[in-house]
């Protein structure tokens, strides 16, 4: 249903409405920068790092999410293999539907979709 609506929205749009240019909004906020040479040297030397799981050969930042993992093998990439390996056909179809919902905003205007709903 969502993919059908997206096709209608994008195919039904006149192509000359934005004169061949994509719409882009760029904005920012002002900020103040403070120079702290001592802190910069502290970070450059790696003194802010802590050993991961007590192993001093593996140093991580204390805010690094990997510090919460006990075994890194569970979080490692599959190496480019099939990410649906071991799933049944039903589970694979369900994952494909979930992927369509996950990435819907990349291909369709969410606001128009909400109005349609």
């Amino acid at each position: 249903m969502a993919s059908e609506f997206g096709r209608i929205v994008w195919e039904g749009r006149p192509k000359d409405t934005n004169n061949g240019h994509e719409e882009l909004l760029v904005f920012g906020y002002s900020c103040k920068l403070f120079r702290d040479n001592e802190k910069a040297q502290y970070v450059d030397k790696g003194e802010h790092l802590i050993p991961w799981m007590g192993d001093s050969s593996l140093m991580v930042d204390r805010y690094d999410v990997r510090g919460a993992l006990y075994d890194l093998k569970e979080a490692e990439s599959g190496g480019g293999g099939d990410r649906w390996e071991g799933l049944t056909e039903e589970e694979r179809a369900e994952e494909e539907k979930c992927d369509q919902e996950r990435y819907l905003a990349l291909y369709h205007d969410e606001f128009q979709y909400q109005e349609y709903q």
Side-chain angles (χ1 to χ4, degrees):
M1 174 85 180
S3 61
E4 292 172 14
F5 173 73
R7 242 183 259 120
I8 294 168
V9 169
W10 292 108
E11 290 175 3
R13 270 185 158 171
K15 297 189 184 223
D16 59 348
T17 56
N18 50 357
N19 298 327
H21 299 288
E22 293 289 324
E23 292 183 24
L24 177 66
L25 172 65
V26 179
F27 66 94
Y29 299 101
S30 64
C31 67
K32 292 183 180 180
L33 298 177
F34 298 95
R35 186 176 181 113
D36 188 352
N37 291 335
E38 292 175 17
K39 190 67 156 177
Q41 288 176 348
Y42 177 78
V43 171
D44 284 342
K45 291 178 183 176
E47 294 176 2
H48 67 293
L49 300 175
I50 59 172
W52 179 71
M53 301 300 283
D55 185 0
S56 59
S57 66
L58 296 171
M59 303 294 281
V60 296
D61 188 276
R62 67 180 176 156
Y63 298 111
D64 192 328
V65 71
R66 293 173 291 184
L69 297 174
Y70 179 73
D71 185 16
L72 291 179
K73 290 187 173 128
E74 296 174 9
E76 288 178 349
S77 173
D82 185 15
R83 69 184 185 126
W84 294 330
E85 185 178 334
L87 297 180
T88 65
E89 289 299 319
E90 291 176 9
E91 292 171 333
R92 190 176 294 227
E94 186 71 25
E95 282 296 319
E96 288 175 359
K97 288 179 184 177
C98 289
D99 279 347
Q100 284 181 340
E101 288 296 319
R102 282 183 192 114
Y103 305 114
L104 181 68
L106 292 175
Y107 304 107
H108 308 294
D109 188 355
E110 289 181 345
F111 297 114
Q112 287 183 353
Y113 180 71
Q114 288 174 355
E115 289 175 7
Y116 179 75
Q117 292 293 333

